[in-house]
Amino acid sequence: MGQNSRHASDQSDWWRDAVIYQVYPRSFADGNGDGTGDLAGVRSRLPYLAELGVDAVWFNPWYPSPMADGGYDVADYRDVDPLFGTLAEAETLIAEASRLGIRSIVDIVPNHVSDTHPWFRAALAAAPGSPERDLFHFRPGRGAAGELPPNDWVSEFGGCPWTRTTNPDGGPGEWYLHLFATQQPDLNWAHPQVRWEHESILRFWFDRGAAGVRIDSAALLVKDPALPDFVRGTDPHPFADREELHEIYRSWRAIADSYVGSRILVGEVWLPDAERFARYLRPDELHTAFNFDFMSRPWQADALRASIDATLALHAPVGAPATWVLCNHDITRTVTRYGRGDTRFDFATKTFGTPTDLALGHRRARAAALLSLALPGAVYLYQGEELGLPEVEDLPLDRLQDPMHFRSGGTDPGRDGCRVPLPWSGTAAPYGFSPEGVDPWLPQPADWARLTVEAQSTDPASILTLYREALRIRRDAVGPCGDKFEWLTGHQDVLAFTRGDGFSCVVNLSADPVALPAHTAVLLTSGPLDDGLLPADSAAWLRTG
Ligand code: GLC
């Protein structure tokens, strides 16, 4: 069977069990030798992605941007930043990937724009109460002289989400809302022009061959028009998960469905309430959303079992496939997270200098790869995960770029450590990411020679070889299982399940080796078996029919 052949019968359903590879363009491959990854670099590495066997690529934002938040501060949604290339090159990239059987998903950022976006510049230049300001959330301040922010909300990046403007005469003016960094003013989604604009942006990228969009901060767009203070436990929340969002996504779904073939909507929906989360996945809304619950859980059988059960239970009634995510460009890298005493992911507890056992983390990351790739649904794979890259925790402070770090007053390490440029080849930085002698935008560790694609490609025991094998076997052995899923009974600290009659997966999270469940063949293991037993922190894929 050729690559992607399982989709041949129903191409429009490809996303239900796809492996989607996340490319952070700035750090993937540097084609023009300026130290920053770009579209030329991605194009040159498409054969690598085809060989890995992924079905689609999600590209983090490549739009013109001052990069105040790694490109999530968009100045123009219909172009490409010169740092990355040109719009024509993006079109070529999408077409070339498609010829290799790889679909492209672009990142849409609807909650906010860059403060250099023409709409925001016009709003700043216009008077309070003007139609230009109405596209954003401008308000007078509180206090006798308007010196206090209009409400008590807290930015998603920490600190105050309001910035005071300066009037043309130099005096202090109104405040504007930005749930993220100061340079990311929030749009007013009650305004029809904001809706039309984003519907047009969707069409723009669908017309250029994008197979789907990833919707940034998808549950935050709509605000209570009164912008009231935040009272804990109030329902509805003043800026998260508001009812009006569903109607917006229904209109987006109608646009996606109006295209021949499939166009998919993938939501970045961070919500603690599983039922509220599932409402975004109703048949006329988003196709899928990232499953952050699974990613946030510790490396413990009970916790992961509970997350898998809850995930499958919440997706089934709405008919949407689950997604499985271990990390992304915002999250501590898997190898590092699983090597710590506390293996959960939680933005609030990130600190510098957490003791980490990388060898243990690496073993668990391999097992977690087989676990997530064996579950029913789609899998997101963040660039470098297939290389087992650790979080880079000792970046020089003067090279850090992430606003999350700066807005925390320097206490939060930020997200740069998972965005370090990929090592492709060679024995020293820049490891083939950039031409020799070029210093990449974030420095790479001196000990990454054994983690390069080149080094791992010829090593049968490498994590890259494991991923390649797993993706190949998944196509033929896991793909046809559809939604079938059943736990096997046994050891409390072992996750074992079947996917129909022919395939089962077992993951040992206990401290001791365990016997494999009944099988006719061992298809793949995350590490060597120990006298036929599955060692601690290891996983196996078994043929059972
Ligand atoms: C999302 C992105 C993150 C970005 C934020 C603001 O959470 O994943 O990287 O900083 O939105 O756009």
Side-chain angles (χ1 to χ4, degrees), residues 44-74:
S44 73
R45 301 291 184 179
L46 283 174
Y48 168 75
L49 296 176
E51 191 185 347
L52 183 58
V54 302
D55 301 293
V57 170
W58 148 35
F59 295 102
N60 284 105
W62 53 30
Y63 315 109
S65 164
M67 303 285 162
D69 180 22
Y72 281 98
D73 46 323
V74 180

PDB file of all heavy atoms in Angstrom, residues 44-74:
ATOM      1  N   SER A  44      12.680  22.744   1.062  1.00  0.00           N
ATOM      2  CA  SER A  44      13.824  21.845   0.858  1.00  0.00           C
ATOM      3  C   SER A  44      13.722  20.589   1.716  1.00  0.00           C
ATOM      4  O   SER A  44      14.353  19.582   1.430  1.00  0.00           O
ATOM      5  CB  SER A  44      15.129  22.580   1.146  1.00  0.00           C
ATOM      6  OG  SER A  44      15.263  22.768   2.547  1.00  0.00           O
ATOM      7  N   ARG A  45      12.925  20.668   2.773  1.00  0.00           N
ATOM      8  CA  ARG A  45      12.813  19.517   3.691  1.00  0.00           C
ATOM      9  C   ARG A  45      11.501  18.759   3.531  1.00  0.00           C
ATOM     10  O   ARG A  45      11.208  17.867   4.349  1.00  0.00           O
ATOM     11  CB  ARG A  45      12.956  19.980   5.140  1.00  0.00           C
ATOM     12  CG  ARG A  45      14.274  20.682   5.452  1.00  0.00           C
ATOM     13  CD  ARG A  45      15.445  19.709   5.406  1.00  0.00           C
ATOM     14  NE  ARG A  45      16.699  20.350   5.785  1.00  0.00           N
ATOM     15  CZ  ARG A  45      17.862  19.729   5.845  1.00  0.00           C
ATOM     16  NH1 ARG A  45      17.948  18.444   5.537  1.00  0.00           N
ATOM     17  NH2 ARG A  45      18.945  20.365   6.196  1.00  0.00           N
ATOM     18  N   LEU A  46      10.730  19.078   2.511  1.00  0.00           N
ATOM     19  CA  LEU A  46       9.471  18.335   2.334  1.00  0.00           C
ATOM     20  C   LEU A  46       9.696  16.828   2.172  1.00  0.00           C
ATOM     21  O   LEU A  46       8.916  16.018   2.703  1.00  0.00           O
ATOM     22  CB  LEU A  46       8.672  18.885   1.149  1.00  0.00           C
ATOM     23  CG  LEU A  46       7.931  20.203   1.406  1.00  0.00           C
ATOM     24  CD1 LEU A  46       7.302  20.712   0.109  1.00  0.00           C
ATOM     25  CD2 LEU A  46       6.859  20.041   2.482  1.00  0.00           C
ATOM     26  N   PRO A  47      10.765  16.417   1.465  1.00  0.00           N
ATOM     27  CA  PRO A  47      10.993  14.964   1.353  1.00  0.00           C
ATOM     28  C   PRO A  47      11.164  14.306   2.727  1.00  0.00           C
ATOM     29  O   PRO A  47      10.758  13.156   2.926  1.00  0.00           O
ATOM     30  CB  PRO A  47      12.275  14.868   0.522  1.00  0.00           C
ATOM     31  CG  PRO A  47      12.306  16.145  -0.270  1.00  0.00           C
ATOM     32  CD  PRO A  47      11.709  17.191   0.634  1.00  0.00           C
ATOM     33  N   TYR A  48      11.746  15.036   3.666  1.00  0.00           N
ATOM     34  CA  TYR A  48      11.892  14.496   5.025  1.00  0.00           C
ATOM     35  C   TYR A  48      10.517  14.216   5.635  1.00  0.00           C
ATOM     36  O   TYR A  48      10.289  13.160   6.252  1.00  0.00           O
ATOM     37  CB  TYR A  48      12.673  15.504   5.879  1.00  0.00           C
ATOM     38  CG  TYR A  48      12.641  15.216   7.367  1.00  0.00           C
ATOM     39  CD1 TYR A  48      13.401  14.183   7.907  1.00  0.00           C
ATOM     40  CD2 TYR A  48      11.845  15.973   8.237  1.00  0.00           C
ATOM     41  CE1 TYR A  48      13.380  13.910   9.270  1.00  0.00           C
ATOM     42  CE2 TYR A  48      11.815  15.708   9.597  1.00  0.00           C
ATOM     43  CZ  TYR A  48      12.580  14.672  10.114  1.00  0.00           C
ATOM     44  OH  TYR A  48      12.544  14.403  11.455  1.00  0.00           O
ATOM     45  N   LEU A  49       9.590  15.175   5.447  1.00  0.00           N
ATOM     46  CA  LEU A  49       8.254  14.997   6.032  1.00  0.00           C
ATOM     47  C   LEU A  49       7.502  13.872   5.329  1.00  0.00           C
ATOM     48  O   LEU A  49       6.752  13.118   5.957  1.00  0.00           O
ATOM     49  CB  LEU A  49       7.469  16.311   5.944  1.00  0.00           C
ATOM     50  CG  LEU A  49       8.079  17.459   6.753  1.00  0.00           C
ATOM     51  CD1 LEU A  49       7.303  18.754   6.541  1.00  0.00           C
ATOM     52  CD2 LEU A  49       8.107  17.093   8.240  1.00  0.00           C
ATOM     53  N   ALA A  50       7.718  13.750   4.030  1.00  0.00           N
ATOM     54  CA  ALA A  50       7.058  12.669   3.286  1.00  0.00           C
ATOM     55  C   ALA A  50       7.603  11.318   3.758  1.00  0.00           C
ATOM     56  O   ALA A  50       6.844  10.360   3.953  1.00  0.00           O
ATOM     57  CB  ALA A  50       7.291  12.858   1.792  1.00  0.00           C
ATOM     58  N   GLU A  51       8.899  11.266   3.979  1.00  0.00           N
ATOM     59  CA  GLU A  51       9.491  10.009   4.422  1.00  0.00           C
ATOM     60  C   GLU A  51       9.033   9.651   5.834  1.00  0.00           C
ATOM     61  O   GLU A  51       8.811   8.486   6.166  1.00  0.00           O
ATOM     62  CB  GLU A  51      11.019  10.111   4.372  1.00  0.00           C
ATOM     63  CG  GLU A  51      11.684   8.752   4.559  1.00  0.00           C
ATOM     64  CD  GLU A  51      13.203   8.847   4.646  1.00  0.00           C
ATOM     65  OE1 GLU A  51      13.767   9.900   4.321  1.00  0.00           O
ATOM     66  OE2 GLU A  51      13.799   7.835   5.058  1.00  0.00           O
ATOM     67  N   LEU A  52       8.869  10.677   6.653  1.00  0.00           N
ATOM     68  CA  LEU A  52       8.373  10.435   8.012  1.00  0.00           C
ATOM     69  C   LEU A  52       6.964   9.841   7.935  1.00  0.00           C
ATOM     70  O   LEU A  52       6.588   9.003   8.755  1.00  0.00           O
ATOM     71  CB  LEU A  52       8.386  11.763   8.779  1.00  0.00           C
ATOM     72  CG  LEU A  52       7.990  11.780  10.238  1.00  0.00           C
ATOM     73  CD1 LEU A  52       8.870  10.841  11.067  1.00  0.00           C
ATOM     74  CD2 LEU A  52       8.105  13.210  10.804  1.00  0.00           C
ATOM     75  N   GLY A  53       6.220  10.292   6.930  1.00  0.00           N
ATOM     76  CA  GLY A  53       4.905   9.673   6.698  1.00  0.00           C
ATOM     77  C   GLY A  53       3.741  10.452   7.291  1.00  0.00           C
ATOM     78  O   GLY A  53       2.725   9.868   7.650  1.00  0.00           O
ATOM     79  N   VAL A  54       3.885  11.790   7.416  1.00  0.00           N
ATOM     80  CA  VAL A  54       2.789  12.571   7.982  1.00  0.00           C
ATOM     81  C   VAL A  54       1.746  12.868   6.911  1.00  0.00           C
ATOM     82  O   VAL A  54       2.039  12.892   5.725  1.00  0.00           O
ATOM     83  CB  VAL A  54       3.297  13.866   8.637  1.00  0.00           C
ATOM     84  CG1 VAL A  54       4.297  13.538   9.731  1.00  0.00           C
ATOM     85  CG2 VAL A  54       3.911  14.818   7.614  1.00  0.00           C
ATOM     86  N   ASP A  55       0.513  13.090   7.360  1.00  0.00           N
ATOM     87  CA  ASP A  55      -0.585  13.349   6.426  1.00  0.00           C
ATOM     88  C   ASP A  55      -0.750  14.834   6.133  1.00  0.00           C
ATOM     89  O   ASP A  55      -1.293  15.204   5.086  1.00  0.00           O
ATOM     90  CB  ASP A  55      -1.902  12.833   7.024  1.00  0.00           C
ATOM     91  CG  ASP A  55      -1.828  11.351   7.319  1.00  0.00           C
ATOM     92  OD1 ASP A  55      -1.732  10.566   6.360  1.00  0.00           O
ATOM     93  OD2 ASP A  55      -1.821  10.968   8.504  1.00  0.00           O
ATOM     94  N   ALA A  56      -0.385  15.659   7.095  1.00  0.00           N
ATOM     95  CA  ALA A  56      -0.594  17.090   6.927  1.00  0.00           C
ATOM     96  C   ALA A  56       0.425  17.846   7.748  1.00  0.00           C
ATOM     97  O   ALA A  56       1.053  17.286   8.653  1.00  0.00           O
ATOM     98  CB  ALA A  56      -2.009  17.474   7.371  1.00  0.00           C
ATOM     99  N   VAL A  57       0.577  19.120   7.409  1.00  0.00           N
ATOM    100  CA  VAL A  57       1.439  20.012   8.181  1.00  0.00           C
ATOM    101  C   VAL A  57       0.602  21.197   8.633  1.00  0.00           C
ATOM    102  O   VAL A  57      -0.192  21.732   7.863  1.00  0.00           O
ATOM    103  CB  VAL A  57       2.627  20.510   7.315  1.00  0.00           C
ATOM    104  CG1 VAL A  57       3.378  21.614   8.031  1.00  0.00           C
ATOM    105  CG2 VAL A  57       3.570  19.365   6.996  1.00  0.00           C
ATOM    106  N   TRP A  58       0.740  21.555   9.894  1.00  0.00           N
ATOM    107  CA  TRP A  58       0.164  22.818  10.376  1.00  0.00           C
ATOM    108  C   TRP A  58       1.323  23.787  10.515  1.00  0.00           C
ATOM    109  O   TRP A  58       2.285  23.509  11.220  1.00  0.00           O
ATOM    110  CB  TRP A  58      -0.574  22.590  11.705  1.00  0.00           C
ATOM    111  CG  TRP A  58      -0.549  23.763  12.655  1.00  0.00           C
ATOM    112  CD1 TRP A  58      -0.586  25.093  12.346  1.00  0.00           C
ATOM    113  CD2 TRP A  58      -0.470  23.705  14.090  1.00  0.00           C
ATOM    114  NE1 TRP A  58      -0.537  25.862  13.482  1.00  0.00           N
ATOM    115  CE2 TRP A  58      -0.457  25.033  14.566  1.00  0.00           C
ATOM    116  CE3 TRP A  58      -0.421  22.651  15.011  1.00  0.00           C
ATOM    117  CZ2 TRP A  58      -0.383  25.338  15.927  1.00  0.00           C
ATOM    118  CZ3 TRP A  58      -0.351  22.963  16.363  1.00  0.00           C
ATOM    119  CH2 TRP A  58      -0.340  24.300  16.808  1.00  0.00           C
ATOM    120  N   PHE A  59       1.199  24.923   9.823  1.00  0.00           N
ATOM    121  CA  PHE A  59       2.237  25.958   9.883  1.00  0.00           C
ATOM    122  C   PHE A  59       1.858  27.019  10.905  1.00  0.00           C
ATOM    123  O   PHE A  59       0.797  27.638  10.787  1.00  0.00           O
ATOM    124  CB  PHE A  59       2.392  26.646   8.523  1.00  0.00           C
ATOM    125  CG  PHE A  59       2.906  25.726   7.448  1.00  0.00           C
ATOM    126  CD1 PHE A  59       2.045  25.187   6.497  1.00  0.00           C
ATOM    127  CD2 PHE A  59       4.255  25.397   7.389  1.00  0.00           C
ATOM    128  CE1 PHE A  59       2.514  24.338   5.505  1.00  0.00           C
ATOM    129  CE2 PHE A  59       4.732  24.545   6.393  1.00  0.00           C
ATOM    130  CZ  PHE A  59       3.859  24.010   5.455  1.00  0.00           C
ATOM    131  N   ASN A  60       2.733  27.275  11.862  1.00  0.00           N
ATOM    132  CA  ASN A  60       2.522  28.430  12.738  1.00  0.00           C
ATOM    133  C   ASN A  60       2.570  29.680  11.853  1.00  0.00           C
ATOM    134  O   ASN A  60       3.056  29.636  10.732  1.00  0.00           O
ATOM    135  CB  ASN A  60       3.609  28.471  13.824  1.00  0.00           C
ATOM    136  CG  ASN A  60       3.350  27.438  14.898  1.00  0.00           C
ATOM    137  OD1 ASN A  60       4.011  26.415  14.946  1.00  0.00           O
ATOM    138  ND2 ASN A  60       2.391  27.694  15.751  1.00  0.00           N
ATOM    139  N   PRO A  61       2.085  30.833  12.357  1.00  0.00           N
ATOM    140  CA  PRO A  61       1.904  32.014  11.499  1.00  0.00           C
ATOM    141  C   PRO A  61       3.163  32.411  10.723  1.00  0.00           C
ATOM    142  O   PRO A  61       4.253  32.446  11.275  1.00  0.00           O
ATOM    143  CB  PRO A  61       1.526  33.107  12.499  1.00  0.00           C
ATOM    144  CG  PRO A  61       0.869  32.381  13.610  1.00  0.00           C
ATOM    145  CD  PRO A  61       1.598  31.078  13.724  1.00  0.00           C
ATOM    146  N   TRP A  62       2.944  32.698   9.454  1.00  0.00           N
ATOM    147  CA  TRP A  62       4.029  33.134   8.580  1.00  0.00           C
ATOM    148  C   TRP A  62       3.759  34.527   8.035  1.00  0.00           C
ATOM    149  O   TRP A  62       4.409  34.995   7.123  1.00  0.00           O
ATOM    150  CB  TRP A  62       4.241  32.125   7.444  1.00  0.00           C
ATOM    151  CG  TRP A  62       3.020  31.758   6.628  1.00  0.00           C
ATOM    152  CD1 TRP A  62       1.926  32.545   6.371  1.00  0.00           C
ATOM    153  CD2 TRP A  62       2.789  30.518   5.945  1.00  0.00           C
ATOM    154  NE1 TRP A  62       1.028  31.866   5.569  1.00  0.00           N
ATOM    155  CE2 TRP A  62       1.530  30.611   5.294  1.00  0.00           C
ATOM    156  CE3 TRP A  62       3.522  29.335   5.804  1.00  0.00           C
ATOM    157  CZ2 TRP A  62       0.983  29.578   4.522  1.00  0.00           C
ATOM    158  CZ3 TRP A  62       2.974  28.312   5.041  1.00  0.00           C
ATOM    159  CH2 TRP A  62       1.719  28.426   4.413  1.00  0.00           C
ATOM    160  N   TYR A  63       2.779  35.209   8.574  1.00  0.00           N
ATOM    161  CA  TYR A  63       2.344  36.507   8.051  1.00  0.00           C
ATOM    162  C   TYR A  63       3.311  37.626   8.440  1.00  0.00           C
ATOM    163  O   TYR A  63       4.046  37.487   9.426  1.00  0.00           O
ATOM    164  CB  TYR A  63       0.961  36.848   8.619  1.00  0.00           C
ATOM    165  CG  TYR A  63      -0.003  35.704   8.575  1.00  0.00           C
ATOM    166  CD1 TYR A  63      -0.393  35.054   9.743  1.00  0.00           C
ATOM    167  CD2 TYR A  63      -0.516  35.256   7.363  1.00  0.00           C
ATOM    168  CE1 TYR A  63      -1.269  33.983   9.705  1.00  0.00           C
ATOM    169  CE2 TYR A  63      -1.396  34.187   7.318  1.00  0.00           C
ATOM    170  CZ  TYR A  63      -1.764  33.545   8.500  1.00  0.00           C
ATOM    171  OH  TYR A  63      -2.617  32.491   8.454  1.00  0.00           O
ATOM    172  N   PRO A  64       3.250  38.760   7.698  1.00  0.00           N
ATOM    173  CA  PRO A  64       4.025  39.928   8.117  1.00  0.00           C
ATOM    174  C   PRO A  64       3.719  40.280   9.574  1.00  0.00           C
ATOM    175  O   PRO A  64       2.551  40.342   9.961  1.00  0.00           O
ATOM    176  CB  PRO A  64       3.539  41.039   7.172  1.00  0.00           C
ATOM    177  CG  PRO A  64       3.092  40.308   5.948  1.00  0.00           C
ATOM    178  CD  PRO A  64       2.517  39.003   6.450  1.00  0.00           C
ATOM    179  N   SER A  65       4.761  40.465  10.346  1.00  0.00           N
ATOM    180  CA  SER A  65       4.581  40.659  11.779  1.00  0.00           C
ATOM    181  C   SER A  65       5.840  41.261  12.379  1.00  0.00           C
ATOM    182  O   SER A  65       6.947  40.880  11.990  1.00  0.00           O
ATOM    183  CB  SER A  65       4.313  39.295  12.423  1.00  0.00           C
ATOM    184  OG  SER A  65       4.497  39.356  13.822  1.00  0.00           O
ATOM    185  N   PRO A  66       5.700  42.140  13.348  1.00  0.00           N
ATOM    186  CA  PRO A  66       6.891  42.620  14.064  1.00  0.00           C
ATOM    187  C   PRO A  66       7.458  41.548  15.005  1.00  0.00           C
ATOM    188  O   PRO A  66       8.467  41.782  15.664  1.00  0.00           O
ATOM    189  CB  PRO A  66       6.373  43.815  14.868  1.00  0.00           C
ATOM    190  CG  PRO A  66       4.995  44.095  14.393  1.00  0.00           C
ATOM    191  CD  PRO A  66       4.470  42.831  13.763  1.00  0.00           C
ATOM    192  N   MET A  67       6.811  40.392  15.099  1.00  0.00           N
ATOM    193  CA  MET A  67       7.292  39.270  15.918  1.00  0.00           C
ATOM    194  C   MET A  67       7.348  39.603  17.413  1.00  0.00           C
ATOM    195  O   MET A  67       8.245  39.151  18.125  1.00  0.00           O
ATOM    196  CB  MET A  67       8.680  38.769  15.462  1.00  0.00           C
ATOM    197  CG  MET A  67       8.736  38.338  14.032  1.00  0.00           C
ATOM    198  SD  MET A  67       7.943  36.723  13.772  1.00  0.00           S
ATOM    199  CE  MET A  67       7.694  36.780  11.999  1.00  0.00           C
ATOM    200  N   ALA A  68       6.391  40.378  17.875  1.00  0.00           N
ATOM    201  CA  ALA A  68       6.335  40.651  19.310  1.00  0.00           C
ATOM    202  C   ALA A  68       5.895  39.397  20.057  1.00  0.00           C
ATOM    203  O   ALA A  68       6.186  39.224  21.237  1.00  0.00           O
ATOM    204  CB  ALA A  68       5.361  41.792  19.591  1.00  0.00           C
ATOM    205  N   ASP A  69       5.166  38.507  19.363  1.00  0.00           N
ATOM    206  CA  ASP A  69       4.780  37.220  19.952  1.00  0.00           C
ATOM    207  C   ASP A  69       4.957  36.122  18.904  1.00  0.00           C
ATOM    208  O   ASP A  69       4.017  35.418  18.558  1.00  0.00           O
ATOM    209  CB  ASP A  69       3.325  37.284  20.456  1.00  0.00           C
ATOM    210  CG  ASP A  69       2.877  35.958  21.077  1.00  0.00           C
ATOM    211  OD1 ASP A  69       3.751  35.172  21.500  1.00  0.00           O
ATOM    212  OD2 ASP A  69       1.650  35.711  21.121  1.00  0.00           O
ATOM    213  N   GLY A  70       6.170  36.014  18.415  1.00  0.00           N
ATOM    214  CA  GLY A  70       6.508  34.948  17.465  1.00  0.00           C
ATOM    215  C   GLY A  70       5.591  34.876  16.251  1.00  0.00           C
ATOM    216  O   GLY A  70       5.358  33.779  15.735  1.00  0.00           O
ATOM    217  N   GLY A  71       5.053  35.996  15.806  1.00  0.00           N
ATOM    218  CA  GLY A  71       4.205  35.999  14.613  1.00  0.00           C
ATOM    219  C   GLY A  71       2.724  35.934  14.922  1.00  0.00           C
ATOM    220  O   GLY A  71       1.895  36.037  14.011  1.00  0.00           O
ATOM    221  N   TYR A  72       2.357  35.746  16.195  1.00  0.00           N
ATOM    222  CA  TYR A  72       0.940  35.779  16.581  1.00  0.00           C
ATOM    223  C   TYR A  72       0.456  37.229  16.753  1.00  0.00           C
ATOM    224  O   TYR A  72      -0.623  37.477  17.272  1.00  0.00           O
ATOM    225  CB  TYR A  72       0.681  34.951  17.847  1.00  0.00           C
ATOM    226  CG  TYR A  72       0.622  33.471  17.521  1.00  0.00           C
ATOM    227  CD1 TYR A  72       1.732  32.656  17.708  1.00  0.00           C
ATOM    228  CD2 TYR A  72      -0.528  32.900  16.991  1.00  0.00           C
ATOM    229  CE1 TYR A  72       1.692  31.311  17.378  1.00  0.00           C
ATOM    230  CE2 TYR A  72      -0.577  31.563  16.661  1.00  0.00           C
ATOM    231  CZ  TYR A  72       0.532  30.771  16.854  1.00  0.00           C
ATOM    232  OH  TYR A  72       0.481  29.437  16.520  1.00  0.00           O
ATOM    233  N   ASP A  73       1.284  38.145  16.315  1.00  0.00           N
ATOM    234  CA  ASP A  73       0.902  39.554  16.215  1.00  0.00           C
ATOM    235  C   ASP A  73       0.932  39.875  14.719  1.00  0.00           C
ATOM    236  O   ASP A  73       1.958  40.212  14.161  1.00  0.00           O
ATOM    237  CB  ASP A  73       1.851  40.436  17.029  1.00  0.00           C
ATOM    238  CG  ASP A  73       3.335  40.097  16.820  1.00  0.00           C
ATOM    239  OD1 ASP A  73       3.692  38.904  16.684  1.00  0.00           O
ATOM    240  OD2 ASP A  73       4.144  41.043  16.768  1.00  0.00           O
ATOM    241  N   VAL A  74      -0.225  39.702  14.067  1.00  0.00           N
ATOM    242  CA  VAL A  74      -0.282  39.699  12.605  1.00  0.00           C
ATOM    243  C   VAL A  74      -0.582  41.103  12.067  1.00  0.00           C
ATOM    244  O   VAL A  74      -1.561  41.729  12.461  1.00  0.00           O
ATOM    245  CB  VAL A  74      -1.360  38.712  12.110  1.00  0.00           C
ATOM    246  CG1 VAL A  74      -1.418  38.704  10.588  1.00  0.00           C
ATOM    247  CG2 VAL A  74      -1.096  37.310  12.657  1.00  0.00           C
TER     248      VAL A  74
END
